[in-house]
Amino acid sequence: MTGCALVSPTDPDAANAARPAVAPYHATGRDGPPGRPPPVAPLPDTPLTLAQATELALANNPEIAAARHDAAAAREQYRQAFGARLPSLRASGAYMHHLDDQRLLAARYNGETGVFGDDIFGGDLVLTLPLFTGRRLINEARAADLLHEAAQHRLTRTREELVFNVASVFHSLLAQHHVIESVAFSQQALEEHRKRVDDLIAAQKAARVDRLRTEVRLAEVRQRAVREQNAQAIQIRLLANLLGFANQTADLRVTGQIETLDEVALAPTEHYIAQALQERPDCRAARAALEAQARSVDAARAGYSPTVSLQGAYGGRWAAHPTDRPAGSREAEDVGRIGVVVDVPIFEGGRIAARVAEQRARLAAAQERLRRLELQVWLDVETALLNIAAARERIAAARAALAQAEESLRIEREKYDLGKGTILDVLDAQSALLDAQTNYYRALADLHIARASLALAT
């Protein structure tokens, strides 16, 4: 028998004991799959603002919870590494059955009588204090502290990314709502125009082909309405996923105004790059992880050094049914010792060298990851600045196109009513107005998203 089973093994699907208390959850609940805990913060009955959506996401998103647990695990790893530098006190017990009788205690002087037996029990309290380890324990504790710091920065970065993702989807939903309204308005306008064409046909002022062309364009707009509503449903599903809800998309509604942001003068790219490299939590986490790995290399190199420990023990020995017991002797005796133990590695089969090489390779990998992150910072900042500039120009162009499209539709309708225009001109003007409205609202959403992405990048 090489081991024993746990009396109560850990259930991997059980809710964490540290999770905030919530209402009892049933397998048929609507907040998540069976057997999983419900969200911490419930979904309100009223439409969500961006601030409420962000708050719900930070409370319910499982990735945030996972990052928080990772940070807690890193903290406990530091406590383990720090505790290795402190004295340790252990209790040990043993029972030995010998083929030949053994002396209960070693003789303390020549000719000393003793108790002998083949069944001997022992128990000790052992105190061990590391005195010198070649700074291995110090470096391991420092590395664990830096990894805890890195985990905290990664948690902060995860929160920032979640806030950006929620804002991105939220503004896309607001824009999509306006797009759907524009499609519905276009559909209503085409239906009214079809009635006008019917009246003109009845008065023999228009051809039946005009009605057919209007029906074709109306069918296209209806198909577009279905596509836009499907896109909205997918965005709602995505937002619910970010908020940590599984089956409540029907109850999820958003509210807010998507407006043009105030013009803000942008600083040079190098300014944002320097700010990002200095302040971004993932950059701080990468630097902390790099320094922690350097300490791990030093801890591995300490394996070549001897270790010196202070060790003391106090306990007792007992002989069960002794075979030889001189008169006046006892079946139980106490024992104690204290001293310094020196452990010098002479041959380890190459394990120390391999451990050092492994940590050096991990250090090189951490250096490359930090360099890759610095390149990503440049890409993120430049992309965000370009997107802001492009969104501003698109808004200006879309605003002008929207005004022109509205005026063009009015003119083409009047020309058609007076018999001086064609139905195709009216339908094209109506389509151009719908495109202009769609482009305008989506450009507004893209500007909000670009500004949020610049904040995330820096």
Side-chain angles (χ1 to χ4, degrees):
M1 184 175 180
T2 59
C4 58
L6 291 175
V7 176
S8 56
T10 302
D11 182 3
D13 293 324
N16 193 294
R19 188 180 178 90
V22 293
Y25 177 69
H26 304 287
T28 57
R30 64 174 186 168
D31 294 329
R36 301 296 185 185
V40 176
L43 185 66
D45 297 330
T46 57
L48 290 176
T49 63
L50 178 57
Q52 290 174 324
T54 302
E55 183 179 356
L56 281 173
L58 292 175
N60 296 332
N61 189 272
E63 188 61 29
I64 294 295
R68 190 179 298 115
H69 290 310
D70 287 340
R75 182 182 66 248
E76 299 307 319
Q77 287 179 345
Y78 167 71
R79 291 181 58 190
Q80 293 178 45
F82 182 81
R85 302 171 57 186
L86 303 178
S88 65
L89 180 63
R90 307 175 70 91
S92 65
Y95 160 73
M96 293 295 176
H97 174 74
H98 303 273
L99 293 178
D100 300 317
D101 290 346
Q102 301 293 320
R103 189 183 182 103
L104 181 62
L105 292 179
R108 289 164 289 190
Y109 55 88
N110 291 333
E112 181 186 15
T113 60
V115 177
F116 289 82
D118 55 4
D119 291 319
I120 297 179
F121 294 87
D124 294 285
L125 287 176
V126 182
L127 176 69
T128 304
L129 174 64
L131 300 178
F132 175 78
T133 61
R135 296 184 62 84
R136 176 179 59 83
L137 297 180
I138 294 176
N139 284 316
E140 287 178 348
R142 178 55 180 160
D145 187 26
L146 289 167
L147 290 176
H148 176 225
E149 179 183 342
Q152 292 285 358
H153 289 314
R154 282 193 294 270
L155 171 60
T156 303
R157 183 61 178 177
T158 303
R159 291 169 60 90
E160 291 178 351
E161 290 174 346
L162 179 62
V163 170
F164 166 75
N165 290 333
V166 170
S168 177
V169 177
F170 193 92
H171 286 115
S172 296
L173 268 173
L174 292 180
Q176 190 67 18
H177 178 70
H178 287 290
V179 169
I180 291 176
E181 286 183 342
S182 298
V183 174
F185 174 78
S186 180
Q187 181 177 343
Q188 181 182 0
L190 284 173
E191 291 174 348
E192 293 176 353
H193 183 71
R194 182 180 58 184
K195 295 178 182 179
R196 188 180 300 113
V197 170
D198 290 340
D199 294 338
L200 292 175
I201 292 175
Q204 297 183 349
K205 294 183 179 179
R208 291 187 178 275
V209 70
D210 290 350
R211 191 181 195 282
L212 293 177
R213 288 171 175 170
T214 304
E215 287 286 355
V216 171
R217 191 59 60 88
L218 185 57
E220 293 177 355
V221 172
R222 287 170 178 166
Q223 292 179 20
R224 184 168 182 175
V226 173
R227 291 197 302 269
E228 300 298 345
Q229 289 171 357
N230 181 67
Q232 183 185 49
I234 293 174
Q235 290 173 347
I236 290 177
R237 174 69 268 172
L238 178 57
L239 181 60
N241 187 61
L242 292 172
L243 299 186
F245 295 95
N247 301 319
Q248 290 186 260
T249 54
D251 303 330
L252 184 57
R253 294 168 293 164
V254 299
T255 182
Q257 297 294 328
I258 182 168
E259 301 174 348
T260 304
L261 296 173
D262 297 334
E263 291 289 336
V264 177
L266 297 176
T269 303
E270 290 74 13
H271 168 77
Y272 293 111
I273 296 294
Q275 179 183 353
L277 293 176
Q278 180 66 26
E279 298 182 6
R280 269 178 57 157
D282 52 348
C283 291
R284 294 183 177 183
R287 287 193 292 269
L290 178 62
E291 187 177 351
Q293 189 56 44
R295 301 288 78 77
S296 296
V297 172
D298 294 339
R301 291 169 54 195
Y304 291 113
S305 302
T307 58
V308 182
S309 301
L310 175 66
Q311 191 174 87
Y314 178 78
R317 300 291 182 269
W318 300 269
H321 310 294
T323 58
D324 186 4
R325 179 184 175 187
S329 62
R330 298 181 300 174
E331 298 179 3
E333 294 287 348
D334 59 343
V335 294
R337 70 180 187 275
I338 188 171
V340 176
V341 179
V342 180
D343 186 2
V344 181
I346 297 177
F347 177 74
E348 295 287 338
R351 288 183 298 172
I352 298 177
R355 190 177 302 117
V356 173
E358 174 194 356
Q359 298 303 328
R360 288 190 183 277
R362 293 182 183 275
L363 177 62
Q367 291 170 341
E368 293 301 325
R369 291 192 184 96
L370 179 58
R371 189 170 72 90
R372 182 192 64 183
L373 182 58
E374 291 173 350
L375 294 175
Q376 185 65 41
V377 166
W378 278 87
L379 176 61
D380 292 345
V381 171
E382 290 181 345
T383 301
L385 291 175
L386 290 173
N387 287 338
I388 290 176
R392 286 176 175 177
E393 294 180 2
R394 286 172 53 204
I395 289 174
R399 187 184 292 114
L402 182 59
Q404 294 171 358
E406 291 174 347
E407 181 63 16
S408 175
L409 178 60
R410 184 189 66 80
I411 293 174
E412 293 299 335
R413 282 178 174 175
E414 289 182 357
K415 288 170 60 180
Y416 182 78
D417 292 340
L418 295 175
K420 297 181 180 181
T422 65
I423 188 63
L424 290 178
D425 293 335
V426 176
L427 296 178
D428 288 343
Q430 182 67 49
S431 179
L433 176 60
L434 177 57
D435 291 339
Q437 291 172 333
T438 300
N439 293 336
Y440 176 67
Y441 289 119
R442 285 180 174 162
L444 283 178
D446 288 344
L447 179 59
H448 282 270
I449 294 172
R451 289 282 293 271
S453 66
L454 179 61
L456 178 67
T458 54

